[in-house]
Amino acid sequence: QPVLTQSSSASASLGSSVKLICTLSSGHSNFIIAWHQQQPGKAPRYLMKVEGSGSYNKGSGVPDRFSGSSSGADRYLTISNVQSEDEADYYCETWDSNTHVFGSGTKVTVL
Amino acid sequence: QITLKESGPTLVKPTQTLTLTCTFSGFSLTTTGVSVGWIRQPPGKALEWVALIYWDDDRYYTPSLKSRLTISKDTSRNQVVLTMTNMDPVDTATYYCVYRLNGYGVRNWGQGNLVTVSS
């Protein structure tokens, strides 16, 4: 069954870019993942799905500064022109026919 | 517009059974590829899948909780009900109802219902 690995934290200065990584376990490098954002004290929000090909599909209302990409077993979420409201926890999610899992989350701090 | 709203107790005693109801709108749980589920988040911790029910009545339960869980749906009332038996303080968490679409993962989240397990 798939396992997702995320780094625990990342930081970015206001107006800069940050690239978050979510790594799929061995044997699952072609899996689709989804990214979710959880701002402090709020429910999570779907951002996008990212496929192994690197194509991504964003949810309604997700700002253009959020984008996705892929390389091998790694799935990325890039936030360009980071804003203060981007300070949040970011989780990746994947699944197969028998399993549904989340990564442990990456806390993004805006400096 | 898809909305999901959780309802249920905010406080349960150890060993009691928790019943949570998700009332949703904006989609039908009879549509192919659609599922509704529950995800929980203990205070300060990560998200954890609990259970999922599919349009075709298939069910998923997270293995560590499977023996304690039942998920059911009432498509005429647009509701999904989760029961969790033998509650323990470690089950204290915010429980989120979610809309999931095959190929996309979780697409929409409810606001969450914080359940505290304490005597």
Side-chain angles (χ1 to χ4, degrees), chain A residues 36 38 46 93 95 98 100, chain B residues 41 54 60 100 103 106-107:
Chain A
H36 304 274
Q38 186 176 31
Y46 171 83
E93 172 207 0
W95 58 89
N98 299 308
H100 296 266
Chain B
Q41 185 175 38
Y54 293 83
Y60 166 80
R100 187 183 175 279
V106 172
R107 288 299 299 260

Side-chain angles (χ1 to χ4, degrees), chain A residues 8-55:
Chain A
S8 60
S9 64
S11 62
S13 299
L14 205 61
S16 71
S17 295
V18 64
K19 192 172 186 178
L20 309 184
I21 184 171
C22 173
T23 301
L24 288 149
S25 52
S26 178
H28 302 95
S29 61
N30 63 331
F31 275 39
I32 297 169
I33 68 111
W35 285 103
H36 304 274
Q37 176 197 58
Q38 186 176 31
Q39 295 171 320
K42 293 189 174 183
R45 168 198 184 192
Y46 171 83
L47 293 178
M48 68 183 71
K49 72 164 185 173
V50 182
E51 301 191 21
S53 63
S55 66

Side-chain angles (χ1 to χ4, degrees), chain B residues 7 9 11 23 27-30 34 37 42 48-49 52 60 62 64 88 95 100:
Chain B
S7 58
L11 179 66
T23 303
F27 67 93
S28 172
L29 197 36
T30 61
V34 169
E48 177 188 23
W49 268 104
L52 189 62
Y60 166 80
T62 197
S64 61
D88 183 273
Y95 287 75
R100 187 183 175 279

Side-chain angles (χ1 to χ4, degrees), chain A residues 32 34 36 38 42-46 49 57-60 91 93-105, chain B residues 39 41 45-49 52 54 58 60-63 96 100-112:
Chain A
I32 297 169
H36 304 274
Q38 186 176 31
K42 293 189 174 183
R45 168 198 184 192
Y46 171 83
K49 72 164 185 173
N57 182 290
K58 294 198 295 187
S60 172
Y91 294 92
E93 172 207 0
T94 196
W95 58 89
D96 65 11
S97 58
N98 299 308
T99 303
H100 296 266
V101 294
F102 286 97
S104 55
Chain B
I39 292 165
Q41 185 175 38
K45 296 189 177 180
L47 301 169
E48 177 188 23
W49 268 104
L52 189 62
Y54 293 83
D58 197 8
Y60 166 80
Y61 296 111
T62 197
Y96 295 101
R100 187 183 175 279
L101 188 60
N102 276 4
Y104 286 84
V106 172
R107 288 299 299 260
N108 297 80
W109 297 76
Q111 63 190 23

Side-chain angles (χ1 to χ4, degrees), chain A residues 52-109:
Chain A
S53 63
S55 66
Y56 62 96
N57 182 290
K58 294 198 295 187
S60 172
V62 176
D64 291 344
R65 63 178 185 276
F66 289 86
S67 62
S69 58
S70 181
S71 176
D74 296 331
R75 305 287 182 267
Y76 302 101
L77 173 69
T78 300
I79 312 173
S80 305
N81 187 24
V82 168
Q83 301 297 299
S84 58
E85 60 265 32
D86 300 333
E87 185 159 288
D89 293 323
Y90 293 83
Y91 294 92
C92 55
E93 172 207 0
T94 196
W95 58 89
D96 65 11
S97 58
N98 299 308
T99 303
H100 296 266
V101 294
F102 286 97
S104 55
T106 298
K107 183 177 184 63
V108 170
T109 301

Side-chain angles (χ1 to χ4, degrees), chain B residues 3-118:
Chain B
T3 65
L4 308 110
K5 188 171 175 61
E6 306 87 352
S7 58
T10 57
L11 179 66
V12 298
K13 290 181 167 47
T15 75
Q16 285 187 335
T17 294
L18 171 68
T19 300
L20 292 173
T21 300
C22 175
T23 303
F24 56 85
S25 64
F27 67 93
S28 172
L29 197 36
T30 61
T31 300
T32 298
V34 169
S35 53
V36 173
W38 294 91
I39 292 165
R40 72 179 183 179
Q41 185 175 38
K45 296 189 177 180
L47 301 169
E48 177 188 23
W49 268 104
V50 175
L52 189 62
I53 189 164
Y54 293 83
W55 81 96
D56 61 359
D57 217 33
D58 197 8
R59 292 161 172 85
Y60 166 80
Y61 296 111
T62 197
S64 61
L65 299 172
K66 186 173 183 177
S67 63
R68 301 168 51 204
L69 297 173
T70 303
I71 190 169
S72 61
K73 60 183 171 73
D74 184 336
T75 53
S76 64
R77 300 179 68 182
N78 282 353
Q79 290 184 330
V80 168
V81 176
L82 177 77
T83 62
M84 183 181 298
T85 62
N86 194 25
M87 293 291 284
D88 183 273
V90 300
D91 297 312
T92 294
T94 298
Y95 287 75
Y96 295 101
C97 178
V98 298
Y99 162 82
R100 187 183 175 279
L101 188 60
N102 276 4
Y104 286 84
V106 172
R107 288 299 299 260
N108 297 80
W109 297 76
Q111 63 190 23
N113 187 98
L114 174 60
V115 178
T116 301
V117 185
S118 174

